[in-house]
């Protein structure tokens, strides 16, 4: 076991785990976009940033890729972390407002303004599809092509890959395809609908009866103004 | 140097045998581009997934997947060249020859590329035509360099 | 050439070979050193060398007058350079037409040819001997000195000048721990950018067991810098010797040189050097009869700046795309092929033989307390003496730019000097007295980096420079982590808006905020330092940014959307040169009458300004 300090708490976790897993185990929520339990971590979305190190010398690292170590001091909710996350969410919103997951994150973190020109890119290059295809489906039909701002995900020679079995795992795991947010229109990027309204069931029953995510009732409620 | 023969190409060998990057370099050197056929063969021979070969071929700047022009024109856009005005030179060449940056003219005659520093910054800005370096360029000189070339003759130096 | 010996088995073999090499070297005291470095070849030194060879052969002088094609001699600006030995007469801008005179007059009769001498751009004073030039006088050329004396292709030359003695001594007399100890005493810090103590990495690696690797980082992706290239082209054996010593000290039996493909000539020189060292048994099995084995491999880059970052470099050597991984685990634990790996820069390694040869104590005497030794800078841009300079760490920027560099070209005003490449920043005139060492430059928002030093005058726009570096980084980022890819592209978007005048007020604040987050939240060094060019220019030149946003004016006259060209009707004499040369066809006018520029056609290339003899073109 490895002993370390997480948000001021002395904890001990199993060797070989990551900071993200350790935090999860202790019930601390860290947002992620490119992480999946069944896949190897990739550290691409940068949402899971946490502060690691002595006060004054601490640096931000992605929790999903950081292995636990004896004596580490980790903080998951400092101003520095939250500010960085907010900016990252704002960047995500500007480039991909159609992902419900991103919209939800924006609501959660109170990001109410986007100061960048909206882009409506579909892919956020989290790489979940590439990893699921390789690690779970053993297919390796897709990969990252090109680099820098031009990076995209594709098949060899941009044609249907011989290795693809059309299993659909890539679509299933995609945080953008999975659940689409229909809220924002072209010129605006923030929807802020689902997470910010109180479920209609609350008015009737004093407690929410619905465990659906997204809440169907809420979705229905929205319909009349569409 | 330690070498190995793979698919008929002489490739430098590393501590872990031949790397796919080294093999693709050998192919690029010989054909001036990476034909799809060879990429497929390379994947089979080296036992790596085709997507990895393709993504390496697209990641590195020195690889090209389409045939390059008979004349290779490279302008340096490194910092030293930039502060001495390389942008205008690239534009001038692009205009004189009718080639976009990082592409090949339709007749297959010229390819125009930009690189970041060729290490001869003292003579900035630089243009390299078919491996021959031309230093202290100005848009005017650059235009003249290709004035004849554009009329159908080969590039002059 | 000395006869090819069999592999050295003992120290004595080496010493007797060295003796023979020295004798050979002394015999050929009369020679011409022609700079064959890429910098001078651009200016025609290859042809000059060939012509010299032909001339010497034709005249039958080959026995008495030797020719040497050397590495970079330093003052690239005035190339091609030729130095006549044994007197060490320094000729610059030599043309093939000068050959006969040089041989017949200078070499045979010892006469000086005035016209080929270097004359100071400011004082006009002429200098005969290289060492006396102000450019060289203020330098301390510990690493580069050998470039003047040796033929990079000849291992005999290198050995005759003291080469490989350090390696032989280390392998036969010292144990690896003692080598690391000596490096520790020398306080050598990595020259690749971060300034990390070399001995720390070596010691950690030495402690590990099993298969290990040492990699020489010769990727030199920093645009505008060519120190590493010149070392490899001019003195490849010094780098190789450092690498082998590093292997011995760390216990790595395999060394890899990762070199960028844009340096074809350095690749050739290095290949040759490795082959020659193998011939002599300085690389291979049981080096000098010891049980130390060391193999060297060459891995050639394929054009990606990010591959200079150590973990991306390792991915690239392994044949994968150059994507960095987050550290920890560090490379000394988990590097190439999952084994302990040390990565060192070319110049760091070239320092190693010097330290072992002269002793750490002597080495430490140069430089400052925390930054010992010398550092090579490539001094380029708008400075009079562009070229390669080597100075003790800690001398001021002013000394480098004014004493060595001879000041700003065409008497213009100094504005800033950019150091550290895309990870560094611009240092304004007010900070010119900062010492160049690893810690001080960062206080001005820049860093030494690998050693590129680009001097800018008042015709350089700082917004444009920030835009340039961001564009560079946007293309060169691997694109894996979001804040680097998207962050840089958004920074670029804002800076572009500023430079074309469409930025809204408040963009500067957003720029600063975003820059801070990008710096803090990306995975590897590329992203973490990417905002530096923006932040440092903002810090020192905020006024210039504001002028772009508020007055829609580019003070340096660079940002195209904000400038217009026009012709002064009074000054124009109607010569028609601008009309003839304008590539956009934007000039009209009758002969002998003042011309006009058609604004909608003008694409602001500035050709008219350069051709106009009447200085009638106005840029606003
Ligand atoms: C984006 C990036 C590019 C780099 N490029 C180079 C390079 O071209 N050459 C180099 O020696 N070091 C480069 N480095 C620094 C290396 O990562 C590393 O610090 C260095 O090679 C270590 O050697 P040293 O300790 O001898 O300096 C780069 C770092 C980053 C983050
Ligand atoms: S979840 Fe850690 S970086 Fe994406
Ligand atoms: S910047 Fe162009 S050669 Fe270095």
């Amino acid at each position: 076991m490895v002993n370390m300090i997480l948000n001021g708490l002395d904890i001990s976790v199993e060797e070989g785990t990551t900071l993200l897993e350790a935090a999860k185990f202790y019930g601390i929520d860290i947002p992620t976009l490119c992480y999946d339990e069944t896949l190897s971590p990739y550290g691409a979305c940068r949402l899971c940033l946490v502060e690691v190190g002595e006060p004054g010398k601490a640096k931000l690292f992605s929790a999903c890729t950081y292995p636990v170590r004896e004596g580490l001091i980790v903080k998951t909710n400092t101003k520095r972390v939250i500010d960085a996350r907010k900016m990252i969410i704002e960047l995500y919103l500007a480039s991909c407002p159609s992902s419900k997951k991103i919209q939800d994150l924006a609501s959660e973190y109170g990001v109410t303004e986007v100061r960048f020109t909206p882009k409506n890119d579909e892919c956020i290059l989290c790489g979940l599809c590439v990893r699921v295809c390789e690690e779970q489906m053993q297919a390796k039909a897709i990969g990252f092509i090109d680099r820098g701002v031009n990076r995209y995900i594709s098949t060899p020679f941009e044609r249907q890959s011989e290795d693809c079995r059309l299993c659909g795992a890539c679509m299933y795991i995609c945080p953008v395809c999975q659940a689409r947010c229909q809220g924002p229109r072209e010129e605006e990027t923030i929807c802020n609908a689902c997470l910010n309204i109180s479920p209609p069931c609350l008015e009737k029953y004093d407690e929410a009866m619905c465990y659906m995510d997204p809440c169907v009732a809420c979705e229905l409620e929205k319909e009349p103004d569409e | 140097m330690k070498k190995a023969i793979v698919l008929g190409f002489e490739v430098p060998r590393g501590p872990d045998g031949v790397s796919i990057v080294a093999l693709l370099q050998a192919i690029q050197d010989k054909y001036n581009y990476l034909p799809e056929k060879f990429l497929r063969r390379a994947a089979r021979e080296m036992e790596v997934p085709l997507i990895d070969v393709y993504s390496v071929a697209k990641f590195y700047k020195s690889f090209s997947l389409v045939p390059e022009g008979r004349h290779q024109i490279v302008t340096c856009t490194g910092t030293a060249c930039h502060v001495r005005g390389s942008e205008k030179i690239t534009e001038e060449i692009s205009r004189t020859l009718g080639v976009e940056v990082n592409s090949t003219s339709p007749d297959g005659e010229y390819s125009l590329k930009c690189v970041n520093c060729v290490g001869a910054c003292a003579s900035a800005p630089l243009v390299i035509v078919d491996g021959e370096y031309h230093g202290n360029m100005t848009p005017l000189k650059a235009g003249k360099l290709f004035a004849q070339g554009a009329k159908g003759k080969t590039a002059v130096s | 050439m000395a006869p090819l010996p069999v592999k050295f088995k003992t120290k004595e073999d080496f010493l007797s070979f060295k003796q023979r090499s020295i004798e050979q070297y002394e015999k050929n005291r009369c020679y011409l050193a022609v700079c064959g470095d890429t910098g001078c070849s651009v200016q025609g030194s290859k042809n000059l060398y060939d012509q010299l060879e032909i001339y010497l052969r034709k005249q039958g002088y080959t026995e008495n007058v030797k020719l040497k094609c050397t590495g970079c001699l330093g003052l690239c600006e005035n190339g091609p350079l030729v130095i006549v030995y044994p007197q060490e007469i320094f000729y610059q801008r030599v043309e093939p037409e000068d050959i006969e005179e040089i041989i017949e007059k200078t070499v045979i009769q010892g006469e000086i040819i005035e016209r080929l001498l270097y004359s100071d751009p400011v004082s006009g004073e002429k200098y005969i001997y290289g060492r006396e030039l102000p450019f060289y006088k203020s330098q301390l050329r510990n690493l580069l000195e050998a470039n003047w004396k040796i033929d990079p292709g000849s291992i005999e030359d290198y050995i005759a000048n003291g080469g490989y003695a350090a390696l032989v001594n280390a392998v036969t007399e010292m144990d690896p721990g003692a080598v690391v100890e000596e490096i520790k005493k020398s306080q050598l810090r990595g020259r690749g950018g971060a300034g990390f103590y070399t001995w720390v990495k070596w010691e950690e690696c030495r402690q590990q067991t099993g298969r290990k690797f040492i990699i020489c980082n010769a990727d030199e992706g920093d645009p505008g810098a060519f120190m590493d290239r010149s070392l490899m082209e001019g003195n490849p054996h010094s780098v190789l010797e450092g690498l082998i010593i590093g292997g011995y000290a760390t216990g790595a039996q395999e060394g890899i040189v990762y070199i960028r493909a844009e340096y074809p000539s350095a690749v050739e020189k290095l290949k040759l050097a490795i082959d020659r060292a193998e011939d002599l048994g300085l690389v291979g099995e049981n080096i000098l009869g010891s049980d130390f084995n060391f193999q060297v491999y060459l891995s050639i880059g394929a054009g990606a700046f990010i591959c200079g970052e150590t973990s991306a470099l390792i991915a690239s050597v392994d044949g994968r795309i150059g994507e960095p991984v987050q550290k920890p685990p560090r490379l000394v634990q988990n590097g190439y092929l999952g084994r302990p790996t040390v990565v060192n820069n070319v110049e760091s390694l070239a320092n190693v033989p010097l330290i072992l040869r002269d002793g750490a104590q002597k080495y430490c005497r140069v430089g400052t307390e925390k930054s010992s030794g010398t550092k090579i800078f490539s001094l380029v841009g708008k400075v009079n003496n562009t070229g390669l300079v080597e100075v003790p760490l800690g001398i001021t920027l002013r000394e480098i730019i004014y004493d060595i560099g001879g000041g700003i070209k065409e008497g213009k005003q100094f504005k800033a000097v950019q150091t550290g490449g895309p990870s560094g920043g611009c240092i304004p005139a007010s900070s010119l007295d900062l010492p160049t060492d690893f810690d001080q430059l960062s206080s001005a928002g820049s860093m030494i980096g690998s050693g590129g030093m680009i001097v800018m005058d008042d015709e350089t726009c700082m917004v444009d420079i920030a835009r340039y570096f961001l564009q560079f980084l946007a293309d060169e980022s691997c694109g894996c982590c979001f804040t680097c890819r998207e962050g840089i592209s958004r920074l670029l978007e804002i800076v572009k808006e500023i430079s074309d005048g469409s930025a809204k007020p408040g963009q500067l604040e957003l720029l600063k905020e975003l820059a801070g987050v990008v710096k803090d939240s990306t995975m590897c060094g590329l992203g973490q330092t990417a905002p530096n060019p923006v932040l440092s220019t903002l810090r020192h030149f905020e006024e210039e940014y504001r002028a772009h946003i508020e007055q829609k004016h580019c003070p340096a006259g660079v940002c195209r959307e904000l400038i217009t060209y026009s012709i002064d009707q009074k000054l124009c004499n109607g010569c028609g040169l601008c009309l003839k040369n304008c590539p956009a066809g934007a000039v009209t006018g009758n002969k002998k009458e003042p011309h006009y520029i058609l604004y909608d056609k003008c694409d602001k290339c500035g050709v008219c300004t350069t051709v106009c003899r009447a200085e009638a073109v106005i840029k606003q």
Side-chain angles (χ1 to χ4, degrees):
Chain A
M1 295 301 265
V2 177
N3 300 306
M4 44 182 260
I5 302 172
L6 179 65
N7 289 355
L9 229 65
D10 285 315
I11 62 163
S12 74
V13 284
E14 232 168 284
E15 195 155 353
T17 50
T18 61
L19 290 184
L20 183 68
E21 287 160 336
K24 266 215 167 122
F25 184 79
Y26 281 88
I28 293 170
D29 185 41
I30 296 178
T32 62
L33 266 181
C34 72
Y35 173 79
D36 187 280
E37 272 172 9
T38 61
L39 302 175
S40 57
Y42 188 49
C45 75
R46 311 312 290 167
L47 265 180
C48 68
L49 291 175
V50 293
E51 212 173 305
V52 182
E54 308 264 339
K57 279 193 240 154
K59 281 169 94 178
L60 299 189
F61 291 96
S62 48
C64 66
T65 51
Y66 204 106
V68 293
R69 217 175 29 191
E70 190 66 33
L72 277 185
I73 303 174
V74 181
K75 289 184 184 157
T76 65
N77 280 323
T78 60
K79 182 164 188 317
R80 184 170 166 202
V81 169
I82 304 291
D83 283 352
R85 276 191 204 146
K86 275 184 159 173
M87 178 56 93
I88 295 173
I89 292 169
E90 189 177 335
L91 286 170
Y92 270 120
L93 271 179
S95 60
C96 183
S98 60
S99 159
K100 172 158 164 32
K101 217 165 170 173
I102 293 174
Q103 291 290 351
D104 287 352
L105 278 168
S107 306
E108 201 180 321
Y109 277 81
V111 177
T112 52
E113 185 196 9
V114 170
R115 291 164 290 177
F116 305 102
T117 325
K119 269 206 291 209
N120 277 311
D121 284 349
E122 294 291 298
C123 179
I124 55 169
L125 293 163
C126 67
L128 281 170
C129 53
V130 174
R131 280 173 287 151
V132 83
C133 183
E134 174 180 1
E135 294 171 20
Q136 293 291 331
M137 302 304 154
Q138 322 285 321
K140 280 224 100 170
I142 48 177
F144 293 107
I145 313 297
D146 219 320
R147 70 185 191 207
V149 284
N150 300 321
R151 187 177 237 221
Y152 59 96
I153 288 171
S154 186
T155 52
F157 307 103
E158 328 287 328
R159 277 181 246 130
Q160 171 84 52
S161 160
E162 292 106 80
D163 299 316
C164 174
R165 299 189 299 269
L166 303 175
C167 70
C170 45
M171 279 194 281
Y172 170 76
I173 205 163
C174 175
V176 183
C177 309
Q178 198 187 39
R180 305 282 288 198
C181 175
Q182 309 294 343
R185 269 150 284 260
E186 247 176 59
E187 60 290 356
E188 57 198 52
T189 42
I190 301 181
C191 160
N192 268 173
C194 320
L195 271 200
N196 281 357
I197 52 162
S198 54
C201 24
L202 272 188
E203 284 160 26
K204 266 191 209 156
Y205 302 107
D206 264 5
E207 62 183 302
M209 301 296 285
C210 167
Y211 301 101
M212 298 289 287
D213 182 27
C215 168
V216 178
C218 314
E219 295 289 304
L220 283 177
E221 268 263 311
K222 263 181 13 201
E223 213 133 53
D225 10 298
E226 285 281 271
Chain B
M1 286 310 309
K2 294 146 201 82
K3 293 200 177 102
I5 305 285
V6 184
L7 295 175
F9 296 95
E10 205 180 72
V11 190
R13 204 157 54 78
D16 192 34
V18 167
S19 87
I20 194 82
V21 176
L23 176 58
L24 296 195
Q25 275 167 337
I27 300 173
Q28 170 90 30
D29 278 351
K30 173 142 183 217
Y31 295 97
N32 238 342
Y33 79 110
L34 298 173
E36 181 175 333
K37 183 169 80 178
F38 278 104
L39 291 184
R40 288 181 185 277
R41 269 194 225 160
R44 232 172 297 134
E45 179 77 20
M46 308 271 296
E47 295 177 2
V48 282
L50 185 61
I51 185 67
D52 286 351
V53 178
Y54 183 65
S55 102
V56 164
K58 292 282 275 191
F59 184 85
Y60 292 104
K61 255 194 178 169
S62 60
F63 297 134
S64 161
L65 285 155
V66 288
E68 302 214 351
R70 274 178 287 281
H71 297 290
Q72 303 263 346
I73 300 152
V74 178
T75 59
C76 177
T77 48
T79 325
C81 290
H82 178 79
V83 299
R84 290 199 193 170
S86 68
E87 209 165 286
K88 290 178 177 170
I89 293 163
T90 313
E91 262 167 42
E92 182 60 33
I93 296 178
S94 165
R95 182 162 38 203
T96 322
L97 297 180
V99 202
E100 294 288 307
V101 174
N102 290 330
S103 71
T104 302
S105 60
D107 58 0
E109 201 63 30
Y110 303 99
S111 287
L112 178 60
K113 267 194 191 173
C114 291
V115 298
N116 292 308
C117 194
V118 293
C121 323
S123 316
L126 273 120
V127 177
I128 307 173
V129 184
D130 292 331
E132 195 173 323
Y133 292 64
H134 301 269
N136 296 317
M137 274 288 153
T138 60
L140 221 53
K141 275 203 226 166
K144 290 205 181 115
L145 200 57
F146 299 104
Q148 280 138 299
K151 285 184 204 127
K153 290 182 210 148
T154 52
V156 284
S157 40
Chain C
M1 283 280 145
L4 196 72
V6 275
K7 290 185 192 316
F8 303 142
K9 295 226 172 49
T10 58
K11 189 171 179 176
E12 284 64 43
D13 287 351
F14 170 77
L15 290 178
S16 71
F17 182 83
K18 179 172 177 174
Q19 196 49 43
R20 264 181 288 142
S21 304
I22 293 177
E23 279 161 22
Q24 189 75 23
Y25 188 82
E26 292 295 331
K27 252 205 293 190
N28 302 325
R29 270 291 169 197
C30 179
Y31 66 92
L32 294 169
V34 183
C35 178
D37 185 86
T38 307
C40 272
S41 349
V42 172
Q43 311 181 50
S45 77
K46 282 242 156 64
N47 178 35
L48 183 74
Y49 183 87
D50 294 342
Q51 300 288 330
L52 266 166
E53 202 171 25
I54 293 171
Y55 186 84
L56 289 177
R57 202 158 348 104
K58 213 168 66 196
Q59 304 293 334
Y61 291 147
T62 40
E63 259 313 294
N64 303 321
V65 186
K66 299 284 176 199
L67 257 188
K68 235 173 233 186
C69 185
T70 67
C72 180
L73 299 173
L75 192 56
C76 315
E77 175 80 23
N78 296 40
L81 303 176
V82 173
I83 303 179
V84 183
Y85 281 90
Q87 305 96 313
E88 222 176 64
I89 298 166
F90 189 89
Y91 286 150
Q92 45 104 48
R93 296 193 213 254
V94 182
E95 300 283 332
E97 296 78 63
D98 305 322
I99 290 177
E100 187 175 340
E101 213 177 337
I102 294 181
I103 305 286
E104 301 299 340
K105 277 203 181 145
T106 309
V107 177
I108 309 282
Q109 295 166 11
E111 261 176 60
I112 309 286
I113 307 166
E114 280 279 316
R115 124 183 86 87
L116 295 177
L117 292 180
Y118 172 85
S119 83
D120 192 275
V122 186
S123 68
E125 194 178 333
K126 293 209 167 192
Y127 297 90
I128 298 176
Y129 305 107
R131 272 163 224 290
E132 292 177 353
L133 260 59
F135 178 76
Y136 292 106
K137 228 158 111 186
S138 316
Q139 297 190 40
L140 182 69
R141 296 170 71 89
N142 285 348
L143 292 168
L144 290 175
E145 189 182 0
N147 274 20
W148 281 38
K149 296 189 199 154
I150 65 175
D151 171 357
S154 153
I155 196 169
E156 290 83 2
D157 267 14
Y158 181 63
I159 290 180
N161 281 288
Y164 285 115
L167 171 68
V168 171
N169 195 44
V171 174
T172 54
E173 315 271 327
M174 297 164 88
D175 68 41
V179 177
V180 177
E181 191 56 34
E182 195 67 18
I183 300 298
K184 179 176 178 181
K185 273 195 222 138
S186 77
Q187 304 242 37
L188 174 66
R189 292 173 76 169
R191 306 293 198 240
F196 201 69
Y197 286 102
T198 303
W199 73 268
V200 177
K201 288 198 252 186
W202 284 19
E203 179 61 21
E204 274 173 330
C205 186
R206 193 176 71 87
Q207 307 269 352
Q208 309 275 346
T209 51
R211 194 176 182 194
K212 304 178 222 177
F213 296 95
I214 181 163
I215 299 180
C216 169
N217 187 348
D219 194 47
E220 197 163 51
D222 175 357
F226 56 102
M227 303 77 45
D228 295 352
R229 178 183 65 66
S230 297
L231 271 174
M232 290 184 290
E233 279 187 38
N235 197 355
H237 283 288
S238 67
V239 181
L240 187 59
E241 186 181 357
L243 183 69
I244 308 172
I245 296 175
Y248 180 71
T250 56
Q253 302 206 334
E254 284 152 294
I256 303 166
V257 183
Y258 184 83
I259 181 168
R260 69 198 290 246
E262 287 87 342
Y263 289 173
S265 165
V267 173
E268 284 313 310
K269 300 260 163 66
L270 216 57
K271 264 188 195 163
L272 184 67
I274 296 171
D275 285 345
R276 295 291 287 127
E278 265 174 4
D279 290 344
L280 294 181
L282 293 166
V283 167
E285 309 265 303
N286 299 104
I287 295 169
L288 294 151
S290 71
D291 51 9
F292 171 51
N293 307 324
F294 194 72
Q295 299 296 341
V296 181
Y297 302 89
L298 212 56
S299 180
I300 297 168
F305 171 69
I306 185 66
C307 289
E309 200 279 340
T310 47
S311 57
L313 184 153
I314 284 172
S316 177
V317 173
D318 205 17
R320 287 175 281 133
I321 57 176
E323 231 175 50
V325 287
Q326 181 165 295
K327 287 159 236 170
R330 307 223 332 269
L331 298 177
V332 268
Q333 286 134 19
N334 182 5
Y336 180 55
L337 305 179
R339 303 297 317 163
T341 305
V342 176
V343 180
N344 284 116
N345 165 262
V346 169
E347 196 184 329
S348 317
L349 288 175
N351 269 296
V352 167
L354 279 188
I355 296 170
L356 291 195
R357 198 183 66 201
D358 300 341
Q361 238 179 348
K362 181 166 173 216
Y363 185 85
C364 272
R365 263 182 242 146
V366 174
T368 66
E369 191 187 337
K370 286 216 171 126
S371 308
S372 62
T374 58
K375 174 82 193 86
I376 309 180
F377 290 99
S378 72
L379 186 61
V380 295
K382 313 264 184 88
V383 59
N384 272 319
N385 301 330
T386 55
L388 212 56
V389 305
E390 183 180 351
V391 291
L393 276 163
I395 92 169
T396 63
L397 287 165
R398 187 183 303 281
E399 283 172 89
I400 298 182
I401 294 166
Y402 286 92
D403 296 354
I404 299 174
I408 310 303
K409 257 194 164 51
E410 296 159 20
K412 293 225 170 74
Q413 193 67 35
F414 171 87
K415 181 166 186 180
V417 53
Q418 209 283 342
T419 66
S423 321
C426 292
I427 299 171
S430 58
S431 303
L432 266 181
D433 290 310
L434 273 184
T436 49
D437 68 15
F438 288 104
D439 312 302
Q440 300 273 350
L441 284 193
S442 43
S443 70
S446 185
M447 59 193 234
I448 285 198
S450 54
M453 207 172 255
I454 296 128
V455 179
M456 300 168 188
D457 62 11
D458 47 13
E459 284 183 3
T460 317
C461 168
M462 289 297 134
V463 178
D464 178 67
I465 289 298
R467 186 189 59 88
Y468 167 78
F469 278 115
L470 287 171
Q471 183 69 58
F472 174 86
L473 290 162
D475 293 339
E476 294 293 339
S477 151
C478 76
C480 157
C481 90
F482 178 76
T483 38
C484 176
R485 182 184 71 242
E486 192 64 23
I488 295 177
S489 109
R490 292 297 187 176
L491 285 173
L492 177 63
E493 186 180 285
I494 300 173
V495 172
K496 269 187 181 158
E497 281 172 12
I498 297 177
S499 94
D500 68 20
S502 66
K504 296 179 283 290
Q507 292 292 76
L508 269 192
E509 285 61 43
L510 181 60
L511 189 67
K512 280 183 204 165
E513 189 184 334
L514 178 58
V517 171
V518 171
K519 205 173 163 109
D520 222 13
S521 64
T522 54
M523 179 164 16
C524 82
L526 184 136
Q528 285 159 10
T529 54
N532 283 358
V534 178
L535 288 174
S536 78
T537 46
L538 254 178
R539 180 164 147 194
H540 302 296
F541 300 95
E542 187 164 335
E543 282 313 303
E544 199 166 337
Y545 277 83
R546 295 216 177 271
H548 282 76
I549 300 175
E550 286 154 19
Q551 288 121 39
K552 312 271 175 242
H553 170 63
C554 175
V558 174
C559 297
R560 287 188 179 202
E561 280 75 11
L562 304 182
I563 51 171
T564 47
Y565 284 91
S566 55
I567 293 173
D568 188 327
Q569 301 296 307
K570 290 197 201 82
L571 290 177
C572 179
N573 56 17
C575 70
L577 267 181
C578 51
L579 186 130
K580 200 174 120 218
N581 283 300
C582 176
V587 183
T588 68
N590 298 326
K591 237 189 152 57
K592 304 256 163 70
E593 282 169 29
H595 285 43
Y596 298 91
I597 291 178
L598 305 169
Y599 296 117
D600 48 343
K601 274 197 181 169
C602 172
D603 63 4
K604 299 164 187 176
C605 68
V607 164
C608 46
T609 337
T610 52
V611 294
C612 182
R613 298 207 189 108
E615 295 189 6
V617 182
I618 311 167
K619 184 161 82 171
Q620 268 168 339

